[in-house]
């Protein structure tokens, strides 16, 4: 069976849409993991190196059987993601002492941020 050119175009469009959906899904997964991870941080552990935050808080907070791949997200890098989140006042980040890395430390978490309140409610319903 041969497809008309419009059907072939639809197939190609569907492939593009699937790629975009994958990107959106990774962004959603990142945000979900991010909010969950912030609930695990105590004020006494701050400021915290971003590498510690990533390995001890963000990665363990993702849902089971999932992987976080920043390259598949719209952010492409952890620092870009964290800077955007800092812009929403949910976290504050600090640069390295030499200023070369803009996102070297997680310096504070706004536990009263609306997104964290929602994440707490969601976590309670899952338990």
């Amino acid at each position: 069976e041969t497809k008309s050119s419009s059907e072939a175009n639809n197939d190609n469009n569907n492939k593009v849409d699937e790629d975009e959906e994958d990107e959106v899904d990774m962004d959603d997964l990142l945000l979900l993991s991010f909010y969950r991870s912030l609930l695990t941080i105590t004020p006494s552990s701050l400021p915290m190196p971003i590498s510690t935050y990533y390995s001890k808080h963000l990665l363990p907070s993702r849902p089971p059987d999932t992987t976080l791949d920043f390259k598949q997200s719209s952010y492409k890098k952890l620092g870009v993601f964290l800077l955007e989140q800092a812009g929403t006042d949910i976290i504050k980040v600090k640069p390295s002492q030499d200023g070369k890395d803009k996102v070297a430390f997680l310096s504070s978490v706004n536990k009263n941020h609306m997104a964290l309140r929602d994440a707490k409610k969601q976590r309670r319903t899952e338990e």
Side-chain angles (χ1 to χ4, degrees):
E1 174 183 320
T2 56
K3 293 184 179 182
S4 69
S5 61
S6 64
E7 285 177 326
N9 283 342
N10 283 341
D11 285 351
N12 289 340
N13 289 342
N14 288 342
K15 287 179 183 151
V16 169
D17 289 345
E18 286 172 18
D19 290 344
E20 286 173 9
E21 283 177 27
D22 289 347
E23 196 168 278
V24 170
D25 289 347
M26 187 56 67
D27 286 0
D28 289 345
L29 182 61
L30 281 172
L31 274 174
L32 173 68
S33 303
F34 173 71
Y35 294 144
R36 287 180 173 183
S37 72
L38 295 183
L39 297 173
T40 67
I41 295 174
T42 58
S44 61
S45 66
L46 298 172
M48 177 187 303
I50 292 301
S51 59
T52 302
Y53 163 71
Y54 180 74
S55 62
K56 301 228 188 275
H57 296 277
L58 186 61
L59 288 180
S61 295
R62 36 172 211 213
D65 302 320
T66 61
T67 54
L68 292 180
D69 186 349
F70 281 90
K71 290 183 175 138
Q72 289 182 2
S73 75
S74 63
Y75 303 100
K76 305 301 180 203
K77 292 183 178 180
L78 175 61
V80 173
F81 174 76
L82 292 175
L83 278 174
E84 183 168 304
Q85 297 311 311
T88 70
D89 292 327
I90 195 166
I91 58 169
K92 288 186 179 163
V93 293
K94 280 183 167 173
S96 57
Q97 286 185 335
D98 62 10
K100 289 181 181 176
D101 185 356
K102 290 180 187 171
V103 188
F105 295 94
L106 180 62
S107 60
S108 71
V109 175
N110 178 359
K111 296 274 186 170
N112 294 319
H113 194 280
M114 204 60 182
L116 280 188
R117 289 181 187 176
D118 292 345
K120 277 184 199 170
K121 287 177 193 168
Q122 185 178 359
R123 190 175 68 181
R124 280 191 207 117
T125 60
E126 289 174 1
E127 288 175 352

